[in-house]
Amino acid sequence: MRTTVDADPYAWPYDGVIDPEHTALICIDWQTDFCGPGGYVDTMGYDLELTRAGLEPTAKVLAAVRSAGWTVIHTREGHRPDLSDCPPNKLWRSKNIGAGIGDAGPCGRILVRGEPGWEIVPEVAPIAGELVVDKPGKGAFYATDLDLLLRRGGITHLVFTGITTDVCVHTTMREANDKGYECLLLTDCTGATDVGNYQAALKMVTMQGGVFGAIAPSSALLAAIGE
C-alpha cells in the first residue's frame, strides 16, 4: 500500500505517497554504550529506561519495513582505538563527567570501535544486507559515506529511529534536511537521557511548518504501510 503518514505538522511525505524504493529507515546508535547496562550512558548515571524506551517499537518497525523491502541503515558512534579521531574537547568533557571515552568499563573501552559496548543491541541488530555506517561524531553525515550511499541507492526520504533524540538523531535529521532529504522522526522509536530534552527536540521539528520535517508515532507509519 502506498499512502501518507498521519504526521505533525503535515501528512508525510509532503510530495506524494510513501515509495519504498526511495525511502530508508535510519536506525541511529542503538548501541550498548547508549542503552545497555555498563555502557557509556549507564556509566554517566542516566536512567537506561529512557534510552531503551524506543527499542520495542523500533523492532516492530524494522520487521515491517524489512517485509516491505525498504532500505535499512544502522549507525554506530565510536572512535578509533588510538582516539586519533576524537576531538580534544569531546574527550575532555567525557572524562570530566567520569565516563572518559577510551577508558575501560564493564563493556570494554567506552565508545571505541570493536568493543562490546560499541555493538548494536540484539533487539534491533542489523541483518544480512543492511548497511552499517560508523561515525566519529553526533551527526551521521559527518565524516562518513552516508550521503553517498543514500544517493547511490536512489533514496530521497528518510524515517528516523534511535538515540538520543536531542543529540545524534536531531543532528542527523538537521543534516539530512539541509541536504534535501524529506524526513520523518518516529516519536516512540527514539529516546533521550532527559524527558524535557526529548519533548523539546520533538517540538523543534514541528516549528515553522516542519522546519526539519515531521514527527509521528510508529503506529501511524505502520498503518500507512498496511501493517
Side-chain angles (χ1 to χ4, degrees), residues 28-31 34-35 50-51 161-165 168-169 190-192:
I28 304 287
D29 298 359
W30 284 116
Q31 299 161 256
F34 297 117
C35 64
L50 296 177
T51 57
T161 81
I163 46 180
T164 59
T165 321
C168 294
V169 177
T190 70

Side-chain angles (χ1 to χ4, degrees), residues 2-22:
R2 294 189 177 189
T3 183
T4 59
V5 178
D6 183 12
D8 182 17
Y10 59 87
W12 190 90
Y14 83 95
D15 55 350
V17 295
I18 299 170
D19 184 351
E21 292 185 6
H22 300 290

Side-chain angles (χ1 to χ4, degrees), residues 18 53 57 61 118 124 127 139 218-219:
I18 299 170
V61 169
W118 168 80
V124 293
I127 61 174
S218 61
S219 58

Side-chain angles (χ1 to χ4, degrees), residues 12-177:
W12 190 90
Y14 83 95
D15 55 350
V17 295
I18 299 170
D19 184 351
E21 292 185 6
H22 300 290
T23 305
L25 182 73
I26 309 294
C27 296
I28 304 287
D29 298 359
W30 284 116
Q31 299 161 256
T32 297
D33 266 330
F34 297 117
C35 64
Y40 183 45
V41 166
D42 194 26
T43 301
M44 286 190 286
Y46 291 112
D47 183 359
L48 285 183
E49 291 303 312
L50 296 177
T51 57
R52 292 183 61 84
L55 275 173
E56 184 175 345
T58 297
K60 292 179 181 178
V61 169
L62 266 173
V65 302
R66 284 167 174 164
S67 177
W70 289 28
T71 295
V72 177
I73 299 178
H74 306 260
T75 75
R76 292 179 296 208
E77 182 178 348
H79 295 281
R80 296 171 181 266
D82 63 1
L83 304 185
S84 58
D85 60 349
C86 184
N89 57 346
K90 183 179 184 181
L91 182 60
W92 176 85
R93 282 195 299 268
S94 68
K95 290 184 178 297
N96 199 47
I97 58 174
I101 294 171
D103 289 352
C107 297
R109 297 179 66 203
I110 293 172
L111 278 186
V112 169
R113 296 180 182 183
E115 297 289 335
W118 168 80
E119 297 290 354
I120 295 170
V121 295
E123 294 94 324
V124 293
I127 61 174
E130 292 179 348
L131 298 168
V132 180
V133 172
D134 288 313
K135 60 188 185 72
K138 298 170 180 65
F141 288 93
Y142 168 69
T144 76
D145 58 0
L146 177 58
D147 189 51
L148 175 63
L149 293 172
L150 293 172
R151 296 193 188 280
R152 287 285 293 160
I155 301 299
T156 54
H157 293 59
L158 304 178
V159 177
F160 290 95
T161 81
I163 46 180
T164 59
T165 321
D166 54 329
V167 184
C168 294
V169 177
H170 227 267
T171 302
T172 303
M173 189 174 187
R174 288 170 180 243
E175 292 175 324
N177 175 74

